[in-house]
Amino acid sequence: MSRGLITLVNPNKVHPPIAPYALDVLTTALERAGFAVEVIDLTFHRDDWQSCLDGYFATRSPMLVGVTVRNTDTVYAFEQRPFIGEHREIIAEIRRLTDAPIIGGGIGFSTMPFALVDYFGIDYGVKGPGEEIICDLADALVTGRPTNTVAGLIRNTPDGVIRVPPPVLTSRPRTQPLPNTGYNEARVWQVDQTGTYIRRTGTPFKVDNLEYYRRGGMAGILTKNGCAYRCSHCVEPDAKGVRFARRDAAAVVDEMQSLAAHGIFDQHTTDSEFNLAIGHSKDVLREIVRRKHASRFSPLHQLRLWVYCQPAPFDAELAGLLAEAGCAGVNVGTDHVRPDLLRGWKTTEKGTSYYTFADTENLVRLCHANGMLTMVESLLGMPGETEQTLRECVDAFMALDATVTAFSLGLRLFPYTPMGISMAEECAGVRTLPGLQSNTATGPIVLKPLSMCDGPVEYERQFMFDERGDFRLVCYFSPELTEDAGTVTDPTGRWYRSVDLLWSLIDPADHYRVMLPTVSGSSEHDNNYADNPFLTSLTVLGYTGAFWAHWRDREAILRESRDAGIVQPVGAA
């Protein structure tokens, strides 16, 4: 007999659709704990989401509603499109339709959980993996146990938004403890490391993984949670945990095999980086290979695996195992070629660099030798970037001859990244810093460190909102790039000259294999994900796999889609 109904909501209306993997994880955990679970997925109800919610809650009375926030915004410095306004509208409608308490979570939510509990006006929140915490909360609600006994739970109380600390706090940061925020904790205890997450297809009120796949969304696969590295711009160590929570290799491959049996062959790792904790990565791949060898009927023979990696560690054994397991492509976040820029930027827990550009050259060479595609990504505009360092990066990256080379410009700042923390400290509530930028700023961007704020709500909000409560997404562009003086001193300045420079450095004959930042009207080949015409064309036309694998053919694909009346180019009437 069920202990009660819990409803999970996906408010993400961005297309191409991305399956809400987190809701499969939570559904699995809650069902094992004896609860009935139903999913309302609004991704496929962009226009009729209100009637969808109305119809559901007219016949359901859940004891708890969970809402996942995958992204707070596009995290694209030139677009700066927030999503949480739409999410709050959806949550307000849920509030109108049910008296059940609401809990928020997800990777985007975890970047600023206190501010979002406050902004959404919800009862609870989770920072990091949610399966253990939501099960404990559900048990507390059904048994009448006080919710302040639920370890790790963020609670909206009359005294403010506060967090129940876990029994033991480990892996506190060496500096900047940021008390009461859950900053930089190990979250291994929040992860089910042994069980297999159940992935469904065609089951009413569950995530429909095959429908997502048919519409172009690959299935996500988590082999481990968290990240033990400390890259300056990255939210994941804080949001997911600073220690690797390795899942059982057999449980991971059970999940992959189940998806393949449903006809979902393109699967993408959702680890922070697949090759970190490389021994575990190899164990997962060996288990895939073992099952393929054990049966010629295994659906894993049709698996096309896509992985995120860092340049190192990556050796010949890993490349061979990836190829044998069915890996189709490797996306590597190299970021830059200059060691002086990478030093202190891409680091281990101890603050040391862990790769050189030679490691990227080795990775691309090994992948191509083993028949795997590669996408190499740069991150331009970091502190210290100049026109000269940008030119050096472009030259070196283009010489790699990766399948696709991507250049991004500018960084979105978040409250608990090392860069976000340090810039708030430097501003000290009294000054702005060169390079701080927002498209909607109405004055200088002046951040305050947590020690100067009333608490984590105020501290986190300033990275998303201005003093009036209007959206003001804080970004950073290196002020040492060659821009007009007025651009650098204007908080709304746009680094257009640097975009033009990037385009000028690429031979037009190589444009087919390069992703470049764009500004409105500059190109039909916008490489932002959200509601992108090229990507939506791919999904309607039936292409599968990582979108970048089709990038070289984008002109033909866009032409095919326009001929079919599917999309218009960016900027078209």
Side-chain angles (χ1 to χ4, degrees):
M1 183 176 177
S2 167
R3 302 179 69 194
L5 172 64
I6 296 173
T7 300
L8 304 177
V9 181
N10 177 27
N12 185 6
K13 294 186 282 182
V14 169
H15 280 218
I18 300 173
Y21 188 12
L23 299 192
D24 274 341
V25 174
L26 298 180
T27 296
T28 300
L30 287 163
E31 288 180 340
R32 286 175 179 160
F35 296 94
V37 184
E38 293 186 337
V39 171
I40 306 175
D41 195 342
L42 300 181
T43 297
F44 303 127
H45 294 277
R46 302 175 81 181
D47 299 322
D48 65 337
W49 64 268
Q50 287 178 301
S51 61
C52 179
L53 290 174
D54 289 347
Y56 177 84
F57 286 106
T59 59
R60 304 291 201 287
S61 298
M63 57 174 286
L64 177 66
V65 175
V67 180
T68 183
V69 178
R70 184 179 187 273
N71 294 108
T72 58
D73 53 88
T74 56
V75 199
Y76 184 50
F78 270 93
E79 184 184 34
Q80 299 182 25
R81 172 185 165 189
F83 299 140
I84 59 172
E86 291 183 348
H87 293 351
R88 185 165 74 163
E89 186 180 5
I90 290 168
I91 288 169
E93 183 68 6
I94 295 171
R95 273 277 190 229
R96 187 181 71 82
L97 296 169
T98 178
D99 294 328
I102 299 174
I103 181 171
I107 179 63
F109 184 92
S110 298
T111 63
M112 47 184 72
F114 291 83
L116 290 181
V117 165
D118 179 73
Y119 174 71
F120 292 145
I122 57 178
D123 305 275
Y124 308 110
V126 173
K127 181 170 182 172
E131 57 261 43
E132 297 297 330
I133 293 175
I134 197 172
C135 286
D136 196 16
L137 173 62
D139 178 79
L141 293 175
V142 79
T143 61
R145 175 165 51 92
T147 59
N148 63 7
T149 63
V150 179
L153 182 68
I154 297 173
R155 302 166 61 238
N156 198 345
T157 77
D159 296 322
V161 182
I162 58 177
R163 177 174 175 264
V164 182
V168 178
L169 291 178
T170 59
S171 302
R172 296 300 296 269
R174 299 185 302 280
T175 59
Q176 294 297 128
L178 301 181
N180 306 319
T181 64
Y183 170 65
N184 267 16
E185 290 178 3
R187 307 190 193 284
V188 175
W189 68 274
Q190 295 179 215
V191 179
D192 176 6
Q193 295 179 259
T194 59
T196 298
Y197 303 144
I198 306 302
R199 312 297 294 275
R200 292 179 169 92
T201 288
T203 304
F205 296 110
K206 294 291 191 290
V207 177
D208 191 337
N209 286 284
L210 184 57
E211 181 65 13
Y212 272 96
Y213 186 56
R214 286 171 175 159
R215 299 198 188 198
M218 290 184 290
I221 288 293
L222 181 72
T223 77
K224 58 185 174 297
N225 222 320
C227 184
Y229 288 61
R230 297 294 188 277
C231 300
S232 183
H233 62 299
C234 186
V235 302
E236 300 216 355
D238 173 66
K240 291 185 175 182
V242 297
R243 289 287 178 268
F244 293 119
R246 299 168 178 84
R247 294 183 60 209
D248 177 74
V252 172
V253 181
D254 283 346
E255 189 180 342
M256 299 172 77
Q257 187 167 282
S258 169
L259 287 165
H262 284 297
I264 303 168
F265 304 123
D266 290 278
Q267 302 177 25
H268 205 307
T269 57
T270 62
D271 305 18
S272 296
E273 306 289 351
F274 177 69
N275 61 322
L276 303 184
I278 191 172
H280 179 261
S281 308
K282 290 178 178 179
D283 286 344
V284 171
L285 296 173
R286 289 189 186 105
E287 179 63 13
I288 297 171
V289 172
R290 185 192 69 77
R291 296 191 191 192
K292 290 171 71 173
H293 288 169
S295 171
R296 63 188 181 92
F297 300 108
S298 171
L300 292 171
H301 286 286
Q302 298 180 75
L303 174 68
R304 289 185 294 272
L305 182 63
W306 305 84
V307 300
Y308 290 121
C309 284
Q310 284 295 297
F314 198 98
D315 55 26
E317 182 183 35
L318 179 64
L321 284 169
L322 280 166
E324 195 172 3
C327 181
V330 175
N331 185 332
V332 56
T334 298
D335 289 353
H336 216 283
V337 66
R338 289 281 295 252
D340 56 331
L341 293 187
L342 291 171
R343 192 176 302 119
W345 178 265
K346 298 290 289 287
T347 67
T348 66
E349 183 180 12
K350 296 180 179 179
T352 58
S353 299
Y354 59 97
Y355 67 84
T356 67
F357 193 64
D359 293 309
T360 299
E361 294 173 320
N362 177 63
L363 182 148
V364 171
R365 182 171 57 252
L366 286 172
C367 286
H368 290 184
N370 283 274
M372 294 180 287
L373 305 177
T374 54
M375 177 174 170
V376 179
E377 295 190 78
S378 78
L379 191 54
L380 302 172
M382 65 178 71
E385 188 84 84
T386 66
E387 180 176 329
Q388 179 58 34
T389 63
L390 185 149
R391 288 177 179 271
E392 290 180 30
C393 185
V394 170
D395 289 345
F397 273 50
M398 293 304 295
L400 283 170
D401 196 27
T403 308
V404 178
T405 304
F407 297 101
S408 64
L409 179 67
L411 309 162
R412 171 77 167 92
L413 292 187
F414 286 93
Y416 300 113
T417 62
M419 188 174 174
I421 293 169
S422 66
M423 289 194 169
E425 291 284 350
E426 289 183 64
C427 286
V430 297
R431 67 183 68 87
T432 189
L433 297 178
L436 289 182
Q437 187 273 349
S438 177
N439 292 349
T440 58
T442 57
I445 299 170
V446 180
L447 302 173
K448 294 195 294 186
L450 178 61
S451 61
M452 295 181 64
C453 296
D454 289 337
V457 170
E458 182 187 2
Y459 173 68
E460 294 170 8
R461 279 183 63 89
Q462 64 185 333
F463 289 83
M464 177 68 77
F465 303 98
D466 64 16
E467 295 80 1
R468 298 184 308 278
D470 296 327
F471 283 117
R472 185 206 61 189
L473 282 62
V474 179
C475 296
Y476 176 86
F477 296 85
S478 171
E480 298 179 57
L481 286 166
T482 305
E483 292 289 340
D484 298 328
T487 296
V488 176
T489 57
D490 182 354
T492 63
R494 314 291 177 92
W495 267 244
Y496 289 160
R497 287 187 62 176
S498 297
V499 173
D500 291 340
L501 173 63
L502 272 169
W503 279 86
S504 73
L505 294 176
I506 307 297
D507 187 327
D510 286 325
H511 281 175
Y512 73 99
R513 63 182 181 99
V514 179
M515 292 182 185
L516 289 165
T518 58
V519 296
S520 180
S522 68
S523 170
E524 68 176 16
H525 301 310
D526 177 11
N527 62 10
N528 183 36
Y529 187 90
D531 299 313
N532 182 297
F534 168 62
L535 302 188
T536 54
S537 298
L538 285 178
T539 62
V540 174
L541 293 171
Y543 290 85
T544 62
F547 80 89
W548 58 263
H550 308 291
W551 186 254
R552 289 186 172 214
D553 300 318
R554 65 190 179 279
E555 290 188 2
I557 292 170
L558 277 169
R559 186 165 54 249
E560 180 184 357
S561 68
R562 287 195 293 268
D563 291 345
I566 295 171
V567 300
Q568 292 292 320
V570 174

